[in-house]
Amino acid sequence: MTTTTTETTPVGGPTGPVLSATGVTMRFGGLTAVRSVDLEVHPGEIVGLIGPNGAGKTTFFNCLTGLYVPTEGTVAYQGTVLPPKPHLVTQAGIARTFQNIRLFANMTVLENVLVGRHTRTKEGLWSALLRGPGFKKAERASEERAMELLEFTGLAAKRDHLARNLPYGEQRKLEIARALASDPGLLLLDEPTAGMNPQETRATEELVFAIRDQGTAVLVIEHDMRFIFNLCDRVAVLVQGEKLVEGSSEVVQGDERVVAAYLGTPFEGAPGAEEVAEVEAAEAHAGAAAGAAAAAGAEAPSTTARTEDDQ
Ligand SMILES: Nc1ncnc2c1ncn2[C@@H]1O[C@H](COP(=O)(O)OP(=O)(O)OP(=O)(O)O)[C@@H](O)[C@H]1O
């Protein structure tokens, strides 16, 4: 089934997944960039999409957001199949950022967020031209919401700066603020930490958690595996346009096919490494304490005994 129709078709209830992509295929001439990919994102989830360069990740995002009309397959938001038109997809509740920053460089930070707000304002052309009371009220409400988002992303102090004068990390944050201005139920992030230093990456991680906590589900493409495995409830791996594996960070990291096709040897600082080191240190400490207690002819403390039983 193709998504060339402009009708919206209910296929589920509001309690189901936020996003359901079903059998999404995208061909460019003889090249199949995305092949029959199914993916769901549920409310409250952060889902990662990873894979080697050219695997089809961005093409898949473009199919989800109506930039491309998939050759086959459907994309549904909250149970309603979406027409492949970017403005209708945004209006439905899916917002995105791009791999290459796309801000209005000569507009202020606040103005950039206000642009992202336009899908949620109802005032028409005449109202805007005449600047009637309805328009002024809507304008004030939009500005209030935009300022909330600038506070949320830590950019409020820069509201009047030109976007082009922001440091790189803040430009990426502004892109996120602008995407959030459409009050999405699902946010798609395409390589949000590309070019960031470790501090900026850590701040982005916190921001994504905060976005999820505020009720927006997130689907994120990223090559930084530490970021992905720390952040995501679920990770899907695309290889040569096909979904190879999908599961928790642990499942994906442990899958031999993913390691062979993409991850290679385990990356340094894998999540859990710190915890493993802490447990080992605690066990060594407990073992030493038990040894000392035995040497002194006393019973080992109960916590030590439990630790040993658990091994
Ligand atoms: N508009 C297009 N026309 C023709 N081929 C395209 C087009 N867009 C993408 N492709 C091809 O589709 C394949 C998938 O590209 P895509 O950019 O989706 O991969 P990706 O996984 O996002 O890669 P990266 O991690 O490098 O961003 C590539 O072979 C690419 O050359």
Side-chain angles (χ1 to χ4, degrees), residues 28 31-34 51-60 62 68 99 190-191 221 223 238:
F28 298 108
L31 174 85
T32 304
V34 175
N53 292 116
K57 304 178 296 295
T58 297
T59 302
F60 183 63
N62 289 344
Y68 292 160
Q99 208 169 321
D190 196 346
E191 299 197 24
I221 295 175
H223 284 289
L238 277 194

Side-chain angles (χ1 to χ4, degrees), residues 17 23 27 91 93 98-99 118 127 141 152 164 177 231 271 275 299:
R27 290 193 198 94
Q91 214 167 58
F98 291 86
Q99 208 169 321
H118 81 275
S127 172
F152 179 66
R164 69 178 148 88
L231 194 70
E275 287 80 345
E299 252 185 64

Side-chain angles (χ1 to χ4, degrees), residues 1-105:
M1 191 177 173
T2 68
T3 51
T4 47
T5 172
T6 52
E7 286 171 10
T8 55
T9 315
V11 294
T15 52
V18 186
L19 174 80
S20 309
T22 310
V24 171
T25 296
M26 186 72 211
R27 290 193 198 94
F28 298 108
L31 174 85
T32 304
V34 175
R35 190 188 298 271
S36 199
V37 172
D38 295 337
L39 188 75
E40 286 191 347
V41 179
H42 296 266
E45 267 194 321
I46 301 174
V47 177
L49 188 61
I50 64 172
N53 292 116
K57 304 178 296 295
T58 297
T59 302
F60 183 63
F61 260 31
N62 289 344
C63 292
L64 298 181
T65 53
L67 272 183
Y68 292 160
V69 180
T71 317
E72 288 167 33
T74 57
V75 176
Y77 176 76
Q78 291 184 348
T80 299
V81 172
L82 296 172
K85 298 259 194 294
H87 69 285
L88 295 179
V89 170
T90 311
Q91 214 167 58
I94 299 179
R96 75 173 291 179
T97 64
F98 291 86
Q99 208 169 321
N100 304 311
I101 292 175
R102 295 191 184 184
L103 293 169
F104 295 100

Side-chain angles (χ1 to χ4, degrees), residues 219-273:
L219 177 61
V220 54
I221 295 175
E222 194 41 84
H223 284 289
D224 181 336
M225 289 303 107
R226 185 177 185 154
F227 175 84
I228 281 285
F229 291 135
N230 275 338
L231 194 70
C232 296
D233 302 300
R234 202 150 45 80
V235 178
V237 187
L238 277 194
V239 176
Q240 292 181 357
E242 290 186 72
K243 192 170 73 178
L244 185 67
V245 177
E246 183 180 344
S248 66
S249 293
E250 291 71 25
V251 165
V252 167
Q253 284 176 87
D255 191 290
E256 283 175 14
R257 291 165 302 169
V258 180
V259 173
Y262 183 45
L263 295 180
T265 50
F267 66 97
E268 221 179 288

